[in-house]
Amino acid sequence: MLALLAFLDIVIHLLIQAVIWLIIAWVIVSWLVSFDVINMRNRMANQVVRLLERATRPILRPMSRIIPPLGGLDLSPMIVTIVLIAADEALRPALFGWLAALVG
């Protein structure tokens, strides 16, 4: 049972890291689109940008509703990333330590 908990701990850690990297990729791509480095008329570039947007918008939208963009700068990716890092570093070990103590 402890091996299953350790496996779940690793899987959750990797999922949190994947979401963080998706958010970072979205921020970089959105900057490149804003500065007209990426040509959105290019079909492949357009598909990659839309894929990243569809993957990150559900995660970022709740925070964007709470904190609107300030002067055209959207702070929601930074705040969500900080929350995810805090959850990965503090809450995840505490939760799985508590579950391991319950299991035995």
Side-chain angles (χ1 to χ4, degrees):
M1 191 62 153
L2 288 177
L4 177 63
L5 285 176
F7 174 74
L8 287 175
D9 184 40
I10 292 170
V11 168
I12 289 175
H13 172 71
L14 291 176
L15 286 174
I16 290 172
Q17 293 298 313
V19 170
I20 289 170
W21 283 108
L22 270 174
I23 291 171
I24 291 170
W26 166 244
V27 168
I28 292 170
V29 165
S30 68
W31 287 344
L32 293 175
V33 168
S34 294
F35 292 122
D36 210 19
V37 174
I38 293 179
N39 183 1
M40 289 299 288
R41 290 183 300 264
N42 182 334
R43 187 175 181 193
M44 182 68 172
N46 193 345
Q47 288 177 347
V48 169
V49 170
R50 298 296 165 226
L51 174 73
L52 283 171
E53 184 177 19
R54 279 188 232 123
T56 58
R57 273 297 133 201
I59 301 165
L60 298 175
R61 189 177 307 125
M63 189 58 66
S64 294
R65 288 182 185 157
I66 295 170
I67 301 175
L70 303 170
L73 183 63
D74 187 11
L75 298 177
S76 62
M78 182 175 58
I79 294 169
V80 170
T81 301
I82 291 170
V83 168
L84 286 172
I85 291 170
D88 191 39
E89 295 293 324
L91 297 178
R92 185 183 50 85
L95 173 68
F96 283 100
W98 179 74
L99 286 174
L102 276 178
V103 171

